[in-house]
Amino acid sequence: MSKIGRNPGGADRRYLRRAELLREKIEQPEMYPFNLPAVKELESIDFHDRVTYIIGENGVGKSTLLEAIAVAWGFNAEGGTLNFNFATAETHSPLHRHLRLIRGTARPKDGFFFRAESYYNVATAIDELDQDSEPRTRIIDSYGGRSLHEQSHGEAFFATFMHRFGSNGLFILDEPEAALSPVRQLAMLTRIHELARSGGQFIISTHSPLLMAYPHCRLYNLTAGGIQECGLEETEHYIVTREFLNNREQMLERLLNDEEE
């Protein structure tokens, strides 16, 4: 088991300082989700005061861990703000019941749990709630004023980041780059920096080396051997991307094994 991370230097402005796994309450550690690499070796994980990245290969459990942290904080399992109580399907794991969240002395004024796979459900819930609302109290106005269903996935994602996220908030994001072009990912990096400088704290699961490049962060890599803190240049995401861009023809030849006809 491992205790991951150290407290960042300087004044502690974190809303969420640490998540601890209550292993003594786990009755069947061999069962899902406790047998996932992200959980199996975990004792606790400390969060950066600006951005914490949780990365890893598909299936290691990063989304499950992120979901549990969000639900333990009070967010809806499918995403949204703390006020969202809808449930399309009860599919989230019981991991949140085995986490203890250590909160900071400061309290966030805003917050959002963003998960790419269920954001359609959030957009639908907003439209349904606004049907019975007065024009001056429409929820969609805080997302830019245009129905998220009337936009592409990328536009809807980006509208949320730009309009709904405010200062002094806790933002938990699961693969926010899923529908974003590289240019939009870089714009999102700027937005993260703006919000982090104005009191925001982010916990982000991602596959994007562009997003991982944010300098004021802590980066955790989830592997079959457990969780390790690392730098951007040590991640497989960065190494593979760099290798492909620098040696595209050679890598394609090996991958495709094509012979000229």
Side-chain angles (χ1 to χ4, degrees):
M1 301 180 190
S2 58
K3 181 175 181 179
I4 307 298
R6 298 179 180 177
N7 294 337
D12 193 341
R13 48 164 238 172
R14 292 171 293 175
Y15 306 119
L16 180 54
R17 295 169 53 204
R18 185 182 307 113
E20 299 176 348
L21 181 63
L22 303 176
R23 192 167 293 279
E24 67 278 6
K25 292 188 176 183
I26 300 175
E27 296 180 355
Q28 295 180 300
E30 74 283 358
M31 301 293 291
Y32 175 86
F34 309 108
N35 60 352
L36 292 170
V39 181
K40 193 161 52 175
E41 299 297 326
L42 179 64
E43 180 182 325
S44 67
I45 180 169
D46 287 301
F47 300 105
H48 194 277
D49 65 341
R50 289 197 179 191
V51 180
T52 301
Y53 290 111
I54 297 176
I55 70 168
E57 190 52 79
N58 297 330
V60 298
K62 57 187 183 299
S63 291
T64 302
L65 177 58
L66 208 71
E67 173 194 82
I69 293 169
V71 173
W73 184 268
F75 287 112
N76 186 296
E78 294 184 53
T81 68
L82 289 170
N83 297 322
F84 274 52
N85 295 313
F86 74 93
T88 304
E90 294 288 346
T91 59
H92 57 286
S93 81
L95 181 59
H96 65 280
R97 294 197 292 267
H98 298 80
L99 289 182
R100 177 190 292 121
L101 300 186
I102 309 301
R103 304 177 184 233
T105 55
R107 292 291 180 266
K109 296 179 181 178
D110 194 12
F112 203 96
F113 175 33
F114 180 94
R115 58 187 317 174
E117 67 177 20
S118 60
Y119 199 61
Y120 178 94
N121 302 337
V122 174
T124 300
I126 292 172
D127 283 352
E128 291 174 349
L129 290 169
D130 278 349
Q131 287 179 356
D132 301 321
S133 300
E134 296 292 331
R136 58 186 176 83
T137 60
R138 293 195 317 161
I139 299 172
I140 197 60
D141 288 338
S142 64
Y143 291 76
R146 180 184 170 198
S147 172
L148 299 174
H149 281 311
E150 295 177 3
Q151 307 175 56
S152 70
H153 287 317
E155 288 177 316
F157 285 17
F158 201 67
T160 302
F161 305 145
M162 295 303 296
H163 299 291
R164 180 55 190 83
F165 290 10
S167 301
N168 300 301
L170 174 65
F171 305 105
I172 302 176
L173 316 180
D174 187 18
E175 299 186 7
E177 78 282 2
L180 299 183
S181 70
V183 170
R184 286 297 199 189
Q185 290 182 44
L186 292 176
M188 185 184 175
L189 203 59
T190 300
R191 183 62 174 155
I192 289 172
H193 185 54
E194 292 172 351
L195 292 170
R197 292 181 66 183
S198 62
Q201 184 184 12
F202 287 82
I203 302 171
I204 304 174
S205 171
T206 182
H207 291 290
S208 169
L210 296 180
L211 292 186
M212 294 177 209
Y214 187 66
H216 311 291
C217 75
R218 176 172 290 141
L219 199 157
Y220 297 117
N221 188 23
L222 278 57
T223 70
I227 303 177
Q228 295 181 337
E229 187 172 354
C230 65
L232 171 64
E233 293 80 4
E234 300 173 89
T235 67
E236 186 177 72
H237 308 72
Y238 178 89
I239 293 169
V240 171
T241 301
R242 181 187 61 188
E243 182 69 15
F244 184 83
L245 293 176
N246 291 339
N247 303 281
R248 178 170 55 91
E249 292 183 1
Q250 296 92 322
M251 287 195 70
L252 284 174
E253 185 177 350
R254 292 200 302 269
L255 290 169
L256 307 182
N257 196 25
D258 274 348
E259 295 181 3
E260 291 187 6
E261 297 182 357

